[in-house]
Amino acid sequence: MRRTLTIGAVVAVSIAALAAQGKPQTSKGLQMTPTSVEITDQSSLRDCPPGTNTVHAMARAGERMANVTVAFKVLPSFKPGPLKRPAVMSTDGKTYNTSVQFVDVGSVPEFSCTFAFRVPEGTMLKSMTIEDATLDLSGLSK
Amino acid sequence: MEIDRRAFIASLGGAAVVAGMDHEAKAEALEHYMEDQLDAQVAANSGQADKFPTVAEIEAQIETRDFRRGAGSLFVSNRGNVKKLAPMPDKPTLKDFFELRFQPANHVLQSATRAMKTGMSEEIILACLLHDVVLNLIKPDHGWWGAQMIEPYVPEKTAFAVRYHQTLRFYPDPEAGYEYPDQYYRIFGHDYQPPKYIEDTYKWLKNHKWYMEPRLVTVNDLYAFDPNAKVSLEPFMDIVGRHFKQPKEGLGFDNSPSAHMWRTMMHPDNPL
């Protein structure tokens, strides 16, 4: 009985965790799943996959840093090459760019990156574009 | 300062990674680790995690040193006495300078590696490779000095990018992927305002058709030392061969307007 309850609880937690993630999208041999959106005053700008460069960006008055974390899987069809920096669109239709850059994608099979966007205070994110994929952020934006 | 050996090794990725590092890389990693620890201690003592010094606090440090911050790194050592330098060949090449005077050159090699991986043009990759080598000679106004030193030998766009990356580093451009580095709050002071000539240069650059050349150097400039990165000059030798006009007399002996700068780096122990 206790075992059934434990398994049930684990399944429920896993379903809840999956529901909290966005839907995976695939583009150019990369599977991408948005996993969280966090609003902060300061962000660490690491290259993607996390590696060489780190700069901290600090929000100025009236701004916040919106940090979107995306999990990546490199599929066999992926061809190494430069990728454009992602952009996010807010619910009011504005587009914001990030200073986080893709560097050496494909060097590891799975990785997770956080892309920081400088946005006006109160901005709600709707979606993120990476190459020709659009990731839905509406369920993750708080 | 006491160093927690285990924590230091763990911060580098473990004993295996450390075993693969040469002495220079280990020394540099240790120096960065100590700087970080010192910053953390200063922040903890002041009760503010993100407290950066003011311009006045940085100025107050001047008379606590026996050297000026602007001296080129060939001329001062922050790890004990300076060492005797290996002699240069009679007709030195850029490769000789990298191997005998610019070592370990991690910063510029990592920057150029990143530029290559992010698909920059060869002129920009070369600019990234050369953008800070003049810091071995002198630090203030390193963009202008650096460009002047390489100008006779590189494409015009490369020299332009090196000259003006210094200015653009003070001005964030999130559209282009460049944020003001927090390291600058630390080394210039959080209330630092660039001087008028930098502001004027920035205004002029903003509307210049080559604005993106120096901007891309700033985008690929690295602010964090990565001890795990394996970098060498080798991947850039083709680009150097195509775009760097190596004088047949050797750098320093070709009577170019910047030959004396290369000679000074060859012989930094000369008294006059």
Side-chain angles (χ1 to χ4, degrees):
Chain A
M1 176 69 174
R2 185 184 291 171
R3 196 171 169 192
T4 312
L5 280 175
T6 310
I7 292 169
V10 168
V11 170
V13 168
S14 305
I15 290 170
L18 281 175
Q21 293 185 351
K23 282 184 188 163
Q25 299 283 331
T26 301
S27 171
K28 296 192 171 176
L30 274 181
Q31 189 191 79
M32 301 167 264
T33 311
T35 57
S36 70
V37 175
E38 238 189 308
I39 306 295
T40 57
D41 288 329
Q42 193 175 327
S43 299
S44 173
L45 309 176
R46 279 183 178 275
D47 285 339
C48 179
T52 316
N53 209 13
T54 313
V55 182
H56 289 94
M58 273 164 274
R60 292 170 293 216
E63 280 180 350
R64 304 300 302 276
M65 302 305 297
N67 305 285
V68 182
T69 302
V70 179
F72 292 87
K73 264 188 198 169
V74 180
L75 305 176
S77 56
F78 176 75
K79 285 183 187 148
L83 293 173
K84 284 181 214 152
R85 282 179 291 123
V88 287
M89 190 176 268
S90 60
T91 49
D92 58 358
K94 289 186 179 147
T95 302
Y96 300 93
N97 296 310
T98 180
S99 292
V100 175
Q101 195 154 10
F102 287 110
V103 180
D104 221 1
V105 175
S107 57
V108 279
E110 285 189 37
F111 52 93
S112 174
C113 299
T114 299
F115 300 96
F117 298 87
R118 197 177 278 283
V119 297
E121 211 158 346
T123 300
M124 296 290 286
L125 301 186
K126 184 180 156 198
S127 61
M128 179 184 215
T129 52
I130 300 179
E131 292 290 327
D132 52 7
T134 303
L135 309 177
D136 181 14
L137 303 179
S138 50
L140 302 170
S141 224
K142 291 164 196 163
Chain B
M1 178 191 291
E2 278 188 30
I3 298 290
D4 179 341
R5 196 166 174 269
R6 279 188 189 172
F8 170 58
I9 292 171
S11 76
L12 298 181
V17 173
V18 175
M21 295 164 71
D22 63 22
H23 293 307
E24 280 294 341
K26 280 180 198 163
E28 199 162 337
L30 179 62
E31 193 182 329
H32 280 262
Y33 181 78
M34 289 171 72
E35 278 171 12
D36 288 348
Q37 295 299 304
L38 190 62
D39 287 345
Q41 273 180 22
V42 170
N45 292 345
S46 66
Q48 286 173 280
D50 293 316
K51 185 172 185 316
F52 295 109
T54 62
V55 170
E57 283 165 345
I58 286 173
E59 269 186 26
Q61 294 169 5
I62 291 173
E63 295 194 0
T64 66
R65 293 189 208 101
D66 57 3
F67 62 94
R68 296 204 184 273
R69 283 209 298 178
S73 32
L74 276 173
F75 297 88
V76 289
S77 167
N78 46 15
R79 292 197 294 271
N81 288 350
V82 294
K83 294 197 174 69
K84 193 171 177 186
L85 291 164
M88 297 286 289
D90 292 341
K91 296 177 180 177
T93 63
L94 183 64
K95 186 168 182 273
D96 294 323
F97 273 93
F98 264 89
E99 288 171 353
L100 300 170
R101 291 295 180 272
F102 302 160
Q103 280 291 330
N106 268 315
H107 171 68
V108 289
L109 288 170
Q110 287 191 25
S111 174
T113 301
R114 191 174 189 271
M116 196 178 247
K117 286 178 177 172
T118 54
M120 299 291 116
S121 69
E122 293 198 344
E123 286 95 338
I124 293 304
I125 295 170
L126 184 62
C128 290
L129 183 67
L130 299 175
H131 77 283
D132 274 352
V133 293
V134 82
L135 296 180
N136 290 287
L137 180 68
I138 190 164
K139 291 179 179 169
D141 269 328
H142 73 290
W144 275 271
W145 282 95
Q148 189 180 356
M149 188 171 90
I150 62 171
E151 210 149 31
Y153 316 108
V154 299
E156 200 180 345
K157 272 188 185 171
T158 301
F160 187 92
V162 170
R163 176 166 287 118
Y164 296 115
H165 88 277
Q166 178 198 334
T167 298
L168 293 189
R169 288 185 72 170
F170 292 109
Y171 299 93
D173 182 351
E175 297 292 307
Y178 179 74
E179 289 282 350
Y180 190 82
D182 49 341
Q183 188 194 5
Y184 271 29
Y185 288 113
R186 203 166 283 130
I187 62 177
F188 287 99
H190 70 77
D191 50 346
Y192 178 77
Q193 290 295 324
K196 188 172 180 304
Y197 76 93
I198 293 281
E199 266 183 49
D200 292 345
T201 305
Y202 175 60
K203 282 179 198 156
W204 171 77
L205 272 173
K206 269 202 300 190
N207 299 313
H208 198 285
K209 64 179 177 178
W210 284 357
Y211 168 83
M212 280 310 287
E213 313 301 318
R215 177 51 80 202
L216 289 172
V217 174
T218 67
V219 166
N220 286 286
D221 214 339
L222 300 175
Y223 302 99
F225 173 76
D226 180 358
N228 299 322
K230 295 261 183 284
V231 283
S232 80
L233 187 62
E234 206 46 47
F236 308 106
M237 287 314 293
D238 283 350
I239 292 176
V240 169
R242 277 194 287 277
H243 299 287
F244 191 90
K245 285 178 250 163
Q246 173 64 44
K248 62 180 187 310
E249 305 88 344
L251 287 165
F253 303 111
D254 58 335
N255 260 333
S256 81
S258 66
H260 62 289
M261 296 166 79
W262 296 90
R263 287 198 303 272
T264 302
M265 290 193 295
M266 255 182 254
H267 306 295
D269 289 300
N270 283 0
L272 289 173

